[in-house]
Amino acid sequence: MPSTPDAELPLIDIAPLCGDRAPPQRAQAMEALLGALSTVGFAVLRGHGVAPEVTARMRAAVAATFAAPRELYAGLTVQKGNYRGYVPLGYFTPNSGVGDVDYYEAWKLHHETDPKDPVCLQSPLYGPNRWPPVGPDTATGRVVDIRAAVLAYWSEMDRVNACVLTALCEGLGLDATMVLDMLRQPLTNMTLLNYPGASPKDAWGIHPHKDFNFLTFLSHDPVGGLEVRRLDGTWLDAHCPPDALVLNVGDMLELLSGGRLVSTPHRVVNRSGRQRMSFPYFSVPRHDVRVQPLLPPVPGFVREPLLAGAASANIWTSNWPDEKSALAAQDLGDYGG
Ligand SMILES: O=C(O)CCC(=O)C(=O)O
Ligand SMILES: [Fe+2]
């Protein structure tokens, strides 16, 4: 039965879920995770084991990306059919044509794949990333290796994603090996995001939306601004300690779980007057995975199965304002304010 989310996002220590051993606290952590993700659809995770240096290097890489002169990014803007590269401020508008642009700029990255990998012949969504061509930091002269920092953080997110997904499968009585296999050669992606401090008053950083993936992991930005919709339609500040990760369920995992795990609308409003940077990681299955309920759907949950590749390809084109989305749930601007 749906319950009203708490005033704060549930804080869960996942250390017992990340080790090899099965300590007695494992069942407790698993229950807490399942409880949070089947009600509010969000949780704040401690004990994830990501070294602070890895996150710090990642933050520095994001900062370097958005400190660089934008002329460097000329010709590297994302294109329909190649959703990798720079997304200028205000680039996307709601598909309906109604509503203001989002007040963010971004660099979009996908699962880094060698062009010689046979999967590239199976689906055009695979290939190498375009990386921000950023030189030495002008103030310190130090070279920030953005690619290395991102890939190190990414592999840590892959690890945490696998731990959390395994625990959720155990809790739901699903075959974790089978579900993890869906993430071999995944369409997992990340966005490096910059919300300028001088945003127009009450402008969306990112308009209300649901994520369209399995799980999203987000390192917290101390300036705040992420808000989660409660069942009564009011919005809750996603408070998060600096060393923790915000976790939420996306539509694909909601579908796989037959509606037991909940994909919840969220939005960003940068009211801080300061620059806000974030870098969500979105786990998405391999292109040929058919996502469908693995359990009998909960009453009232009716959703068509989908193919991960086709659904992702739809995002790669439908975010452009002159396109319509083939999947209503992926339309930009669908979740009001
Ligand atoms: O920047 C954030 O805190 C959230 C971003 C987000 O919701 C998204 O990119 O889907
Ligand atoms: Fe999101």
Side-chain angles (χ1 to χ4, degrees):
M1 204 172 75
S3 68
T4 309
D6 297 335
E8 298 282 333
L9 296 179
L11 179 64
I12 301 170
D13 180 358
I14 60 162
L17 306 177
C18 288
D20 294 337
R21 287 168 294 119
Q25 298 92 327
R26 186 174 169 86
Q28 214 181 335
M30 199 175 74
E31 282 303 312
L33 202 53
L34 215 47
L37 298 189
S38 56
T39 52
V40 60
F42 272 72
V44 173
L45 307 181
R46 288 202 122 133
H48 45 69
V50 182
E53 305 78 58
V54 172
T55 307
R57 266 178 70 212
M58 180 68 196
R59 274 189 211 286
V62 178
T65 300
F66 297 113
R70 299 301 181 268
E71 300 84 82
L72 282 181
Y73 300 162
L76 293 173
T77 302
V78 290
Q79 291 143 10
K80 253 185 232 177
N82 187 7
Y83 202 179
R84 300 182 182 87
Y86 181 54
V87 183
L89 192 68
Y91 188 72
F92 291 123
T93 60
N95 292 109
S96 63
V98 179
D100 295 328
V101 299
D102 286 350
Y103 220 68
Y104 72 81
E105 59 177 339
W107 194 280
K108 193 71 205 170
L109 297 164
H110 287 263
H111 177 67
E112 179 75 0
T113 311
D114 186 325
K116 293 199 213 73
D117 191 309
V119 77
C120 296
L121 295 174
Q122 296 165 18
S123 163
L125 303 178
Y126 291 89
N129 279 300
R130 302 201 284 185
W131 296 94
V134 172
D137 185 293
T138 42
T140 63
R142 268 210 324 265
V143 176
V144 184
D145 189 339
I146 294 181
R147 188 178 189 277
V150 170
L151 292 180
Y153 182 80
W154 197 304
S155 94
E156 278 298 86
M157 290 302 105
D158 287 344
R159 176 184 64 74
V160 178
N161 178 68
C163 293
V164 170
L165 212 45
T166 302
L168 290 172
C169 287
E170 261 176 52
L172 291 170
L174 295 174
D175 179 350
T177 310
M178 195 247 287
V179 173
L180 287 183
D181 189 63
M182 295 177 173
L183 289 165
R184 227 177 354 94
Q185 294 190 298
L187 289 168
T188 294
N189 56 88
M190 279 193 75
T191 320
L192 316 186
L193 281 157
N194 181 38
Y195 305 87
S199 303
K201 189 173 173 308
D202 294 334
W204 296 132
I206 288 189
H207 64 277
H209 67 281
K210 294 185 185 182
D211 292 346
F212 210 86
N213 56 326
F214 268 5
L215 289 170
T216 306
F217 294 87
L218 181 82
S219 273
H220 176 60
D221 186 306
V223 311
L226 175 62
E227 298 177 354
V228 176
R229 197 171 79 181
R230 295 192 185 92
L231 290 178
D232 67 3
T234 60
W235 294 84
L236 151 74
D237 273 342
H239 294 299
C240 178
D243 58 344
L245 289 168
V246 181
L247 164 69
N248 65 283
V249 173
D251 277 18
M252 287 190 188
L253 190 58
E254 184 179 61
L255 176 56
L256 199 79
S257 71
R260 283 168 183 75
L261 304 176
V262 183
S263 172
T264 301
H266 51 284
R267 66 186 189 186
V268 173
V269 190
N270 184 12
R271 300 187 176 89
S272 68
R274 287 155 55 198
Q275 180 186 27
R276 175 183 194 275
M277 283 177 278
S278 71
F279 35 98
Y281 160 102
F282 305 96
S283 59
V284 180
R286 192 178 47 258
H287 69 98
D288 58 358
V289 170
R290 189 176 150 90
V291 183
Q292 59 190 351
L294 298 180
L295 296 165
V298 297
F301 186 83
V302 182
R303 185 103 51 84
E304 289 299 310
L306 54 85
L307 208 56
S312 298
N314 183 56
I315 296 179
W316 283 41
T317 53
S318 72
N319 277 2
W320 273 260
D322 58 338
E323 296 278 350
K324 272 260 148 271
S325 176
L327 290 163
Q330 290 180 344
D331 250 1
L332 294 181
D334 247 21
Y335 291 94

